[in-house]
Amino acid sequence: MKIKKAIIPAAGYGTRSLPITKVIPKEMFPINGKPAIDYIVREAITSGITEILIVVSRNKNMIIDYFDRSLELENFLKQNNKQHLLNKLSIPNIHIQFVRQPIARGLGDAIRLGKPFVNDEPFAVLLPDDIFIEKESSLQKLIHVYHKVNSNVIGVKKVEDDLLKNYGVIDGKQVSHQLHEITNLIEKPQVSPPSNLAVAGRYVLHPDIFTYLQRVKPGSGGELQLTDALKDMLKDKKCYGQELVGDRYDIGSEKEYFELLKRLHYEQL
Ligand code: G1P
């Protein structure tokens, strides 16, 4: 079945980037004049996604406004002969809808809110913190692998030992070049991570995941974790980790955000 739906969870507080995230959602941080979430939505579209659900929270209305037309501004530009600026206002020509997560209870809870939207189809998840720069979109690669293995696929990336505690980390056996059959997953392992392969913010999942999300208990940070639901699912279903080759920038890290800006600035010249 063609993967046409994607969930983008964008409801978190962005605590790593406070105080600016008190008023500006991290997903709206500018990258070459566009908000970060614009890159994520475009990655989804390039990968063949036609319907997107963005999970937001109370202080994220800016995201909803960004993906809406501003007729007032369009009229202003037309009346003032600034037609050339109108293309800058173009919004993606696909179906985007929003749902609010009332309480910040974690990524697992945010994805759970997407159940009625997904409606029993395989679907993608893109975490908007992780921006990938590569020729083939990361999600496209995962969708390709999903169709080959006919099972859940998670994007993973090798990470330095001392940083593994910040991620979901997989254990598994390598089945082909850059593809691992996952045997265990641990969210933010504080000691003895099972490998150096960290979950990298892109997933293609079977809708059965909702059964496991329904019964997941609070895990790392007291939150309902998608990683824990995936681990529970391993008892019944296969899950693969596909290594992603592009450079990944975590925009919740000030250092990586600036590295991304610097890289795109120089690549434009
Ligand atoms: C989330 C996931 C984690 C994953 C990470 C990638 O964590 O829970 O498994 O490795 O995204 O960015 P967060 O960064 O939201 O704490």
Side-chain angles (χ1 to χ4, degrees):
M1 185 187 269
K2 193 170 163 354
I3 316 281
K4 52 182 203 294
K5 294 183 178 178
I7 301 180
I8 303 177
Y13 285 125
T15 49
R16 282 185 296 159
S17 310
L18 281 169
I20 190 71
T21 42
K22 189 177 162 196
V23 287
I24 298 180
K26 184 174 48 184
E27 297 80 13
M28 294 303 288
F29 283 4
I31 301 172
N32 278 359
K34 295 192 197 104
I37 196 160
D38 191 293
Y39 288 80
I40 302 292
V41 166
R42 279 170 215 280
E43 179 185 331
I45 295 172
T46 312
S47 314
I49 298 294
T50 52
E51 291 175 55
I52 293 179
L53 175 73
I54 305 182
V55 184
V56 292
S57 52
R58 275 186 74 73
N59 60 344
K60 305 274 182 144
N61 291 345
M62 229 184 238
I63 299 177
I64 304 178
D65 291 344
Y66 180 76
F67 289 108
D68 193 6
R69 283 182 68 183
S70 168
L71 293 177
E72 208 180 309
L73 183 54
E74 286 177 25
N75 286 338
F76 171 83
L77 293 177
K78 276 185 208 143
Q79 277 161 17
N80 291 282
N81 289 326
K82 298 196 171 170
Q83 306 282 350
H84 60 289
L85 293 179
L86 278 171
N87 341 332
K88 290 203 172 199
L89 294 185
S90 72
I91 51 174
N93 188 20
I94 59 157
H95 179 80
I96 302 183
Q97 66 184 68
F98 302 87
V99 64
R100 265 195 182 178
Q101 184 188 28
I103 307 169
R105 286 199 292 203
L107 178 59
D109 181 58
I111 302 300
R112 206 158 65 172
L113 294 170
K115 189 172 188 296
F117 163 80
V118 163
N119 194 20
D120 229 19
E121 291 177 32
F123 66 103
V125 173
L126 300 100
L127 304 189
D129 276 9
D130 296 305
I131 306 269
F132 280 90
I133 305 290
E134 61 187 310
K135 283 197 202 84
E136 184 189 19
S137 101
S138 296
L139 181 59
Q140 203 163 15
K141 174 80 195 165
L142 296 194
I143 290 178
H144 182 72
V145 175
Y146 180 91
H147 288 307
K148 254 182 25 197
V149 297
N150 201 19
S151 278
N152 305 280
V153 187
I154 303 177
V156 294
K157 230 177 145 42
K158 288 202 173 109
V159 160
E160 309 259 325
D161 289 355
D162 56 327
L163 296 177
L164 285 164
K165 61 176 183 307
N166 302 321
Y167 296 97
V169 181
I170 68 156
D171 197 2
K173 51 177 194 284
Q174 187 156 0
V175 288
S176 64
H177 181 57
Q178 294 176 335
L179 187 66
H180 305 258
E181 186 180 333
I182 299 177
T183 52
N184 195 12
L185 289 127
I186 304 181
E187 182 65 16
K188 305 200 173 70
Q190 295 306 299
V191 286
S192 326
S195 75
N196 62 348
L197 290 170
V199 176
R202 300 290 183 274
Y203 310 73
V204 180
L205 302 175
H206 190 274
D208 278 354
I209 188 66
F210 290 108
T211 309
Y212 303 89
L213 282 170
Q214 223 48 56
R215 61 187 193 212
V216 76
K217 299 268 177 326
S220 166
E223 297 188 336
L224 302 178
Q225 297 292 349
L226 174 60
T227 305
D228 293 342
L230 287 164
K231 178 182 171 147
D232 192 16
M233 188 163 69
L234 283 180
K235 289 185 285 192
D236 310 312
K237 308 252 172 218
K238 286 195 174 186
C239 186
Y240 291 86
Q242 169 65 43
E243 283 185 55
L244 296 172
V245 290
D247 294 325
R248 185 255 309 257
Y249 295 88
D250 171 5
I251 58 156
S253 141
E254 194 163 307
K255 181 170 164 280
E256 291 189 28
Y257 174 58
F258 281 114
E259 274 168 11
L260 171 63
L261 295 187
K262 207 162 79 187
R263 173 170 173 178
L264 292 178
H265 176 74
Y266 284 114
E267 283 182 4
Q268 266 196 344
L269 294 179

